[in-house]
Amino acid sequence: MNYKIAVVAGDGIGPEVMEQNIAVLNAIGEKFGHTFEYTYVLGGGCAIDKYGEPLPQETIDVCKASDSVLLGAVGGWQWDTLPGDKRPERALLGLRGALGLYANLRPATLHDALKDACPLKPELVADGVDIMVVRELTGGMYFGEKGRKMTDMGEAAYDVEQYSVKEVERITRTAFEIARKRNKHVTNVDKQNVLESSRLWRSVVLEVAKDYPDVELDHLYVDNASMQLIMRPTTFDVIVTGNIFGDILSDEASQMTGSIGMLPSASLGEGTLGMYEPVHGSAPDIAGKDLANPIATILSGAMMLKYSFGLQEEAKCIEDAVTKVLDKGYRTGDIMSEGMKQVGCKEMGKLIIENL
Ligand code: NAD
């Protein structure tokens, strides 16, 4: 098969980790007989420098015309003084909006070899952590009506939490479909004891669940969910939740995995086009020094193969290669521990290719 991929490498360590991602994908293409055709476009700080804006129309057009989008990271101190709507990070929100990406998938997987890096007690993670947080990405209070007004308590500010039936329905279906390919267990997280928007959310989840009798469904209030994640992390499979709850819980879950340099993510919409990126930022403090961990970006490439192209075996091949390299004791600086062999970004990419 031939796939067209738009590449927004971005700033800081973005281009370094992306280079290794592309090398791994090319090796997979050779091994399984696929061709990946890349179009490199600018987004973030480098686009501001060249075009005066973080997300040029050309970038949006190329991404829309592609089968999938790979993103490195954007941002850096050079652009920190620009006003909010001109900053590099606008490229992320702009692309998600332009591509209609409403589902954010953030897996939190604890590799056996990195168990020591997990801040939880060993007995709590003995059975292995493998959680997929499915977060609604384009609704809720981040996008609701907001403003300021005078009240009898003085000036007040508000951000409205609003969800429509359609918004909840589509994210719930995404979660159930993913659960079907995993351990067939969805945990819905809301706050329906207090919030009207959560009551609507819960009723839609229950309705959608009727179409998935093979998937187990349970519910947690968000405050309880944040406790249960720490007390019994190994019992979760897929978590589905709204934008703000998902923002917080996915960060909490990610901390169990050892380093931000290990965490991939996917943003999906109605069709197969998705955007795949590491969770970390552009890490200006280590950019250009061959110190970055490319695994988060390489695992994002594996997610692209799985979710946009349906290439399960190819994706598993990358995930297994990462596990093998870690089992053999190779580590980048961020996940380094005593007795292990420290390697740079390029060497880590090379080792993963050798182990495909
Ligand atoms: P960051 O994720 O870039 O870095 C936080 C810390 O983690 C740093 O010490 C960094 O060296 C380390 N780190 C991050 N990724 C690593 C990797 N792959 N390997 C090894 N170490 C890694 O977050 P920050 O410092 O708060 O932000 C830096 C810039 O990135 C800012 O401009 C911020 O706005 C931007 N940012 C972009 C994204 C994105 O593009 N998706 C996400 C978060 C932050």
Side-chain angles (χ1 to χ4, degrees):
M1 290 288 286
N2 183 33
Y3 300 96
K4 282 198 198 117
I5 302 170
V7 181
V8 189
D11 312 311
I13 61 169
E16 297 170 47
V17 290
M18 187 61 76
E19 192 184 329
Q20 300 314 313
N21 191 17
I22 301 289
V24 171
L25 287 170
N26 286 340
I28 280 285
E30 238 170 71
K31 191 174 161 72
F32 289 87
H34 307 296
T35 324
F36 300 117
E37 210 179 292
Y38 309 98
T39 309
Y40 288 81
V41 279
L42 296 183
C46 53
I48 296 174
D49 289 350
K50 179 140 190 218
Y51 300 110
E53 52 178 324
L55 184 60
Q57 188 58 43
E58 188 206 348
T59 298
I60 298 177
D61 294 343
V62 168
C63 290
K64 277 187 173 168
S66 301
D67 297 316
S68 186
V69 180
L70 289 173
L71 191 128
V74 298
W77 53 265
Q78 303 94 306
W79 306 284
D80 272 353
T81 49
L82 292 172
D85 60 334
K86 299 266 185 314
R87 287 178 61 108
E89 294 79 3
R90 289 301 303 174
L92 300 174
L93 290 180
L95 271 176
R96 286 174 190 157
L99 303 176
L101 307 175
Y102 58 80
N104 186 219
L105 275 49
R106 274 178 62 172
T109 311
L110 177 59
H111 288 265
D112 270 355
L114 296 183
K115 271 189 176 157
D116 286 351
C118 176
L120 297 182
K121 283 185 189 160
E123 59 266 32
L124 288 177
V125 293
D127 294 340
V129 177
D130 184 8
I131 304 169
M132 177 68 84
V133 179
V134 179
R135 164 191 171 195
E136 203 289 327
L137 204 54
T138 54
M141 71 169 74
Y142 292 179
F143 291 88
E145 189 193 333
K146 52 186 85 246
R148 303 232 170 173
K149 62 180 177 186
M150 284 312 289
T151 68
D152 53 9
M153 301 283 279
E155 190 185 9
Y158 58 92
D159 300 272
V160 176
E161 174 81 358
Q162 177 176 309
Y163 269 114
S164 68
V165 170
K166 180 161 188 279
E167 284 173 311
V168 184
E169 200 180 309
R170 64 188 186 181
I171 190 77
T172 307
R173 284 197 189 281
T174 303
F176 273 96
E177 290 294 335
I178 288 168
R180 268 194 172 154
K181 297 186 190 123
R182 293 173 45 102
N183 293 323
K184 298 190 168 55
H185 178 193
V186 170
T187 301
N188 166 52
V189 174
D190 59 35
K191 189 72 183 164
Q192 75 133 11
N193 51 341
V194 178
L195 300 175
E196 191 57 30
S197 53
S198 276
R199 283 192 271 276
L200 179 132
W201 179 284
R202 173 86 60 111
S203 67
V204 176
V205 169
L206 286 168
E207 206 47 44
V208 171
K210 290 179 186 163
D211 293 341
Y212 299 86
D214 52 321
V215 179
E216 185 193 342
L217 171 68
D218 51 26
H219 308 270
L220 287 174
Y221 296 143
V222 63
D223 41 350
N224 189 17
S226 71
M227 291 196 294
Q228 300 301 327
L229 260 177
I230 287 181
M231 282 158 56
R232 52 175 181 88
T234 60
T235 63
F236 287 91
D237 179 22
V238 174
I239 292 176
V240 63
T241 190
N243 204 342
I244 186 166
F245 298 158
D247 193 3
I248 298 165
L249 291 181
S250 60
D251 267 17
E252 185 188 358
S254 72
Q255 279 314 294
M256 294 169 206
T257 65
S259 164
I260 197 167
M262 297 292 300
L263 294 165
S265 82
S267 301
L268 307 176
E270 296 285 0
T272 54
L273 190 147
M275 186 160 88
Y276 299 85
E277 56 182 308
V279 166
H280 61 72
S282 59
D285 51 332
I286 56 167
K289 298 179 182 164
D290 194 33
L291 288 175
N293 184 350
I295 293 179
T297 312
I298 289 169
L299 290 176
S300 303
M303 288 185 86
M304 173 185 78
L305 299 182
K306 201 187 293 183
Y307 293 107
S308 278
F309 304 161
L311 302 175
Q312 310 290 341
E313 196 186 336
E314 290 82 341
K316 176 119 188 9
C317 184
I318 296 178
E319 289 162 0
D320 288 349
V322 168
T323 304
K324 275 186 225 162
V325 172
L326 294 174
D327 286 347
K328 287 178 185 171
Y330 294 104
R331 303 282 188 273
T332 43
D334 57 315
I335 49 173
M336 184 59 190
S337 61
E338 219 185 307
M340 299 294 134
K341 291 166 262 194
Q342 186 162 349
V343 295
C345 181
K346 289 196 174 102
E347 182 66 15
M348 182 54 93
K350 202 168 141 244
L351 285 163
I352 292 170
I353 291 171
E354 282 168 15
N355 283 274
L356 285 172

